[in-house]
Amino acid sequence: MDNIYLFMLIAITVLAVVDIVVGVSNDAINFLNSAIGSKAISIRTIMIVASLGIFMGAVFSSGMMEVARKGIFVPAMFSFEEIMYIFMAVMITDILLLDFFNTLGLPTSTTVSIVFNLLGAAVVMSLIKITASESQTLADLGSYINTKKAIEIISGIVMSVFIAFSVGALVQWVSRLVFTFQFEAKKKYFGVVFGGISLATILYFILLKGLKGTPYYKNIASFMDGNELYIVIGSLALCVLFSYAFQKITKKSVLLVVIAVGTFGLALAFAGNDLVNFIGVPMAAFHSYEAMQHAFLTVGTLPADFSMSVLEKKVPAEPLLLFIAGAIMVLTLWFSKKAKTVAETEISLSNQGDTDEKFEPNMLSRGIVRGTTDLSNYLSAIVPKSIQQKIEKSFEKPSAKALTKTQSKDLPAFDMIRASVNLMVAGVLIAIATSMKLPLSTTYVTFMVAMGTSFADRAWGRDSAVYRVAGVLNVIGGWFGTAIGAFIAAGTVVFLVNWNPKVMTPILLLLTAILLIRNYLSHKESSNKTIAEDSLTDSESSSVQGVIHESAKNIANVIKRGNKIYSNSINGLAKQDTSLLKKNKKQVIKLSEEVDSLRDNIFYFIKNLDESSLNASNFYINILGYLQDMTQSLDYISKMSHKHVNNNHKKLKFSQIKELKEIDERFELFFNNTQEAFNSRSFEQIGEILGRKKEILELVTSKILKQIQRTRTEESSPKNTTLYFNLLSETKDLLTATMNLLEEYNEAHDSTVTPATIDVDPIIEAKKEE
């Protein structure tokens, strides 16, 4: 017996552990986001509840790994070695694919990933067998592959996307219509009924989805079958009574319990039903190896026609294996940083307030938003005004202080009503699909329900809709990308393994390890990024003098970074250093984005000022305008320099470089003095710096006149002439913008006035303390 198969089995077992880690990191969003987004329960409590659900779901899992064993392909049509090649390819590609989505922070379906990995590997292996056969043709592919299952899953994807979104939107719209955004006033009566319905629904979902199919379900099956209606009515009554008693005794909303129980239920269902995605293939590989070893020991050699029909039998998983898998899943939930990254995607897309949008709008998202807006306008024209006014009143948000995007991060992304609807609707849809034996992905259902409730709750306003819709389209596109990518990747890997298993298996495993480590380090670096020392910060002062003092650090940082960008542009041109100029472009883009971010917060700055502080807003707008002018000049200089060198145009003459260096040295002195004045808050020095304005402008003008003379007498390169004139022209614009900024500070600064600041919002501070 060849040791290569034992090596493969060990490798598949190790890969199974990694697969659990990357799989849980992605699927954790399914049951965590409603609780995390509402911030109704502490993170620690959420994690404990979810951990219990995962562990119980894993231990109570049926372990019937039918999908991996015979759901996609017909095992009897393949030999032992072919099955091992398929399973090896599936594990490698499944891990890499899920880890790729985790690194991007996009949710995907572990079910679709494993199914299409199996399908891709099995199809390619079947084609290899058909090609080698003299009697079979491509028409015989259907005898190898279970095409019906694949079609069911694809149809399930499409159906779940539209149904989950539509039902989630409808239930949330009705719930908001009843409770409004000020549901605290209505929770005494409506809250009890709503909480009771939600709890009863979720508990029924736990019984049907979480326990059905497990060995333990048969103990209560005789009681459940035929009595579903009575059980639902009875549990509804008990849950309503419990909700009333809970609110009466604790003086807290029963929605806290709904969110906790719903999180537990989804976690239980996830572990109990998606465990096959992680350990189904390794178990099937083990049983294949066991059957082969038994045949080898019986006859002394492996029969040439030895098939894997043994995989068609139902073999439950060992309890110890399920226990270990559950423990790994729980540990992953607690320690995986990538799970947090994926969770942030869904929460940002469903956030009720303003937030930093993660996705850029595209043509399709703009078209959808425009079409939806037109439809809304049409409906508004035919719905009576009185009805519209009543609906609008239900969707009125309580008046509150305008918060910046940074401040909004400290508050819940949405309220407990939406969190409860998310959990309740997702549970109902999954339970219905289970009872009807329809293929369904928990990821698709939970994500699209969350998006539907966000849409109905008007979280996607005119200012954010194109970004949110683009995000949803990106995620949905990623789901189909999962299927296509898994199919192609698994097929490619199984082809390579079959070509030379002894050589390709170690190489592919090594490549997998390298890619996983690289993704881990890349994600760690991006997630651990701290705010740079010279990054820009929002102003929160309410007076001109306060803004002057508070924004001084920003000005000093822009001057410091601008000085470096300008010098690097000149040095890059002098040395023809493409690498330096390329890095310089990135730096100026980053600076421009930070200045744009400050301008984005002008609305919140002005909204939070009182009548006596309006001059502060005018001053703040002016200095941000000058900062933007400065970054635009730096951006043009940087891009122009990089383009010239990157296109291999003729180098600037020595005299031109010398003149640019002279200007750079003068600018460096000017920038350093300015930076020192703002860092030390010595605003009196600004007048002295402004006195040198004429001197510096005359220096730049003199260089322009010299270039004009050179062009008339000796210059022969149009590109060089254009570059040099543009550089000097933008240098003058940069100097003018900087001087205007300094003049604004010089005129506004009054050392006799004590700076005033905006009061800190006590709500935000309370949330931070929690």
Side-chain angles (χ1 to χ4, degrees):
M1 183 181 67
D2 204 328
N3 286 332
I4 185 64
Y5 301 118
L6 179 60
F7 173 75
M8 283 186 173
L9 181 62
I10 295 171
I12 289 172
T13 304
V14 174
L15 290 173
V17 176
V18 181
D19 202 27
I20 291 175
V21 173
V22 296
V24 173
S25 296
N26 198 282
D27 270 359
I29 63 159
N30 297 338
F31 46 84
L32 291 181
N33 276 356
S34 293
I36 293 174
S38 66
K39 294 191 176 182
I41 310 171
S42 68
I43 293 292
R44 182 182 177 84
T45 305
I46 294 168
M47 297 296 281
I48 291 172
V49 169
S51 298
L52 288 172
I54 284 179
F55 192 74
M56 288 181 65
V59 173
F60 293 159
S61 173
S62 65
M64 295 298 180
M65 311 299 170
E66 301 305 305
V67 172
R69 299 169 68 86
K70 62 175 182 177
I72 302 301
F73 56 85
V74 181
M77 299 295 293
F78 296 93
S79 66
F80 166 72
E81 64 176 16
E82 291 163 349
I83 287 288
M84 292 299 288
Y85 296 163
I86 289 172
F87 289 157
M88 176 58 71
V90 166
M91 291 305 296
I92 289 174
T93 50
D94 190 55
I95 288 170
L96 292 178
L97 193 65
L98 292 178
D99 190 63
F100 172 72
F101 275 89
N102 291 343
T103 305
L104 292 179
L106 293 176
T108 191
S109 171
T110 54
T111 303
V112 170
S113 177
I114 197 72
V115 164
F116 279 88
N117 275 313
L118 284 165
L119 183 62
V123 165
V124 171
M125 184 56 72
S126 302
L127 292 175
I128 293 172
K129 288 174 67 70
I130 290 170
T131 305
S133 173
E134 296 180 358
S135 59
Q136 290 185 322
T137 64
L138 195 60
D140 295 305
L141 184 63
S143 60
Y144 289 89
I145 305 300
N146 188 349
T147 53
K148 182 181 177 183
K149 188 71 174 180
I151 293 171
E152 282 182 358
I153 290 173
I154 294 171
S155 63
I157 293 174
V158 178
M159 286 176 61
S160 63
V161 166
F162 290 102
I163 293 175
F165 184 88
S166 303
V167 175
L170 178 61
V171 175
Q172 178 62 34
W173 189 82
V174 173
S175 300
R176 188 62 69 192
L177 205 62
V178 174
F179 288 98
T180 74
F181 278 96
Q182 302 177 17
F183 65 91
E184 290 293 329
K186 298 187 177 184
K187 72 177 184 180
K188 185 175 180 181
Y189 300 109
F190 286 112
V192 168
V193 177
F194 181 80
I197 294 172
S198 301
L199 274 177
T201 301
I202 292 168
L203 288 172
Y204 184 72
F205 156 69
I206 290 175
L207 283 174
L208 191 65
K209 179 67 178 172
L211 297 179
K212 194 169 187 178
T214 69
Y216 308 94
Y217 183 79
K218 61 185 179 183
N219 299 327
I220 59 172
S222 57
F223 172 73
M224 293 284 291
D225 295 341
N227 297 316
E228 287 87 352
L229 181 61
Y230 300 109
I231 292 170
V232 169
I233 294 173
S235 60
L236 179 61
L238 288 173
C239 288
V240 169
L241 289 173
F242 170 80
S243 300
Y244 177 78
F246 179 85
Q247 291 194 167
K248 194 77 173 175
I249 296 170
T250 64
K251 307 298 181 185
K252 294 182 179 180
S253 175
V254 73
L255 297 183
L256 292 170
V257 180
V258 172
I259 293 170
V261 175
T263 302
F264 173 84
L266 283 178
L268 177 76
F270 154 73
N273 295 274
D274 286 5
L275 192 60
V276 58
N277 302 334
F278 312 127
I279 67 171
V281 168
M283 285 186 63
F286 173 74
H287 291 139
S288 301
Y289 184 83
E290 198 175 42
M292 182 275 297
Q293 196 174 41
H294 181 269
F296 185 83
L297 293 174
T298 303
V299 254
T301 183
L302 193 65
D305 58 347
F306 183 70
S307 74
M308 286 286 97
S309 56
V310 65
L311 293 180
E312 295 180 358
K313 299 177 183 177
K314 290 187 177 181
V315 182
E318 291 79 3
L320 178 61
L321 182 61
L322 296 175
F323 182 88
I324 294 171
I328 295 171
M329 292 167 89
V330 170
L331 290 173
T332 301
L333 183 67
W334 279 87
F335 296 107
S336 173
K337 288 186 178 180
K338 288 189 178 182
K340 298 178 179 67
T341 304
V342 179
E344 286 170 3
T345 298
E346 184 177 317
I347 292 174
S348 68
L349 290 175
S350 56
N351 199 308
Q352 191 70 42
D354 288 328
T355 185
D356 294 320
E357 304 296 345
K358 295 185 67 174
F359 300 91
E360 290 298 322
N362 51 52
M363 186 174 65
L364 185 56
S365 70
R366 293 188 187 100
I368 292 173
V369 171
R370 194 173 292 113
T372 306
T373 304
D374 292 341
L375 178 61
S376 175
N377 293 336
Y378 172 76
L379 292 175
S380 298
I382 61 175
V383 175
K385 292 290 183 183
S386 58
I387 296 177
Q388 288 186 46
Q389 288 172 359
K390 289 180 181 179
I391 293 173
E392 288 297 322
K393 194 172 182 181
S394 294
F395 283 86
E396 280 181 5
K397 298 179 180 67
S399 58
K401 179 182 173 181
L403 302 175
T404 65
K405 294 175 182 179
T406 304
Q407 292 171 331
S408 296
K409 292 178 182 178
D410 297 319
L411 298 177
F414 41 82
D415 60 18
M416 291 192 289
I417 292 290
R418 176 128 64 97
S420 301
V421 170
N422 285 345
L423 294 165
M424 176 177 63
V425 173
V428 168
L429 291 178
I430 294 171
I432 291 172
T434 300
S435 63
M436 297 174 67
K437 296 183 178 180
L438 296 174
L440 202 66
S441 167
T442 55
T443 298
Y444 297 157
V445 171
T446 52
F447 179 83
M448 292 311 297
V449 165
M451 295 304 100
T453 58
S454 304
F455 172 72
D457 228 11
R458 301 187 181 180
W460 299 356
R462 291 291 291 268
D463 290 339
S464 62
V466 286
Y467 304 99
R468 306 282 175 93
V469 173
V472 174
L473 293 175
N474 270 281
V475 173
I476 294 174
W479 294 346
F480 288 97
T482 299
I484 297 169
F487 185 92
I488 296 172
T492 304
V493 172
V494 81
F495 176 82
L496 294 172
V497 172
N498 182 74
W499 174 55
N500 194 330
K502 291 185 179 180
V503 174
M504 294 309 302
T505 300
I507 291 175
L508 289 168
L509 288 172
L510 180 62
L511 183 62
T512 301
I514 292 171
L515 290 173
L516 288 174
I517 292 170
R518 191 195 70 173
N519 287 346
Y520 170 77
L521 294 175
S522 173
H523 183 268
K524 184 179 180 181
E525 182 182 352
S526 62
S527 60
N528 288 343
K529 275 184 181 176
T530 55
I531 298 175
E533 185 181 348
D534 56 359
S535 61
L536 310 185
T537 55
D538 297 326
S539 178
E540 295 183 351
S541 295
S542 61
S543 69
V544 174
Q545 302 308 312
V547 173
I548 286 175
H549 282 267
E550 200 173 86
S551 61
K553 182 182 176 183
N554 280 348
I555 304 302
N557 289 335
V558 171
I559 295 295
K560 175 185 174 183
R561 293 162 69 178
N563 186 13
K564 185 177 180 182
I565 289 167
Y566 188 83
S567 294
N568 284 342
S569 296
I570 304 303
N571 291 332
L573 276 172
K575 298 175 183 178
Q576 294 285 288
D577 191 340
T578 311
S579 177
L580 175 62
L581 292 171
K582 187 176 181 180
K583 290 178 182 177
N584 206 42
K585 273 180 62 180
K586 292 180 180 178
Q587 290 301 315
V588 76
I589 289 171
K590 184 181 178 184
L591 179 60
S592 299
E593 287 175 349
E594 290 183 34
V595 172
D596 289 342
S597 178
L598 293 180
R599 290 180 68 86
D600 287 343
N601 279 321
I602 286 177
F603 167 79
Y604 306 101
F605 177 79
I606 295 173
K607 288 286 283 184
N608 292 325
L609 292 175
D610 53 36
E611 291 293 331
S612 62
S613 305
L614 295 183
N615 284 337
S617 62
N618 185 50
F619 175 79
Y620 190 54
I621 290 169
N622 287 341
I623 62 172
L624 288 181
Y626 295 137
L627 286 178
Q628 191 169 51
D629 291 342
M630 291 169 64
T631 55
Q632 285 174 351
S633 293
L634 289 167
D635 181 59
Y636 188 78
I637 290 170
S638 176
K639 287 180 178 178
M640 188 169 45
S641 304
H642 177 263
K643 180 182 178 182
H644 187 86
V645 175
N646 197 42
N647 289 340
N648 293 308
H649 292 315
K650 191 175 180 181
K651 288 180 65 174
L652 292 177
K653 292 185 175 181
F654 176 76
S655 58
Q656 292 173 321
I657 294 294
K658 185 179 178 182
E659 289 171 4
L660 287 174
K661 282 282 190 180
E662 185 183 348
I663 294 173
D664 181 35
E665 288 173 4
R666 190 65 190 82
F667 260 62
E668 187 166 0
L669 178 62
F670 163 66
F671 281 141
N672 286 338
N673 290 338
T674 305
Q675 182 187 343
E676 184 182 346
F678 280 95
N679 273 333
S680 61
R681 307 296 193 273
S682 303
F683 300 110
E684 295 80 8
Q685 296 180 16
I686 293 176
E688 183 182 341
I689 297 170
L690 285 169
R692 302 171 195 149
K693 176 181 178 180
K694 185 179 178 182
E695 172 195 340
I696 305 173
L697 279 174
E698 286 178 351
L699 175 65
V700 178
T701 303
S702 68
K703 304 307 178 188
I704 294 175
L705 292 174
K706 279 188 178 182
Q707 180 60 27
I708 292 173
Q709 184 64 28
R710 272 194 299 264
T711 303
R712 290 174 60 84
T713 59
E714 59 187 77
E715 188 65 71
S716 60
S717 172
K719 294 290 184 185
N720 276 17
T721 302
T722 303
L723 172 66
Y724 194 72
F725 276 133
N726 285 338
L727 281 173
L728 294 179
S729 176
E730 284 301 323
T731 298
K732 282 185 71 175
D733 290 346
L734 173 62
L735 178 62
T736 302
T738 308
M739 288 299 183
N740 288 340
L741 177 74
L742 294 178
E743 286 173 358
E744 189 77 28
Y745 270 88
N746 191 48
E747 292 173 6
H749 177 249
D750 187 348
S751 58
T752 63
V753 179
T754 304
T757 58
I758 295 175
D759 294 334
V760 179
D761 194 325
I763 297 176
I764 296 177
E765 287 301 304
K767 287 290 179 183
K768 286 182 178 178
E769 290 175 5
E770 291 177 6

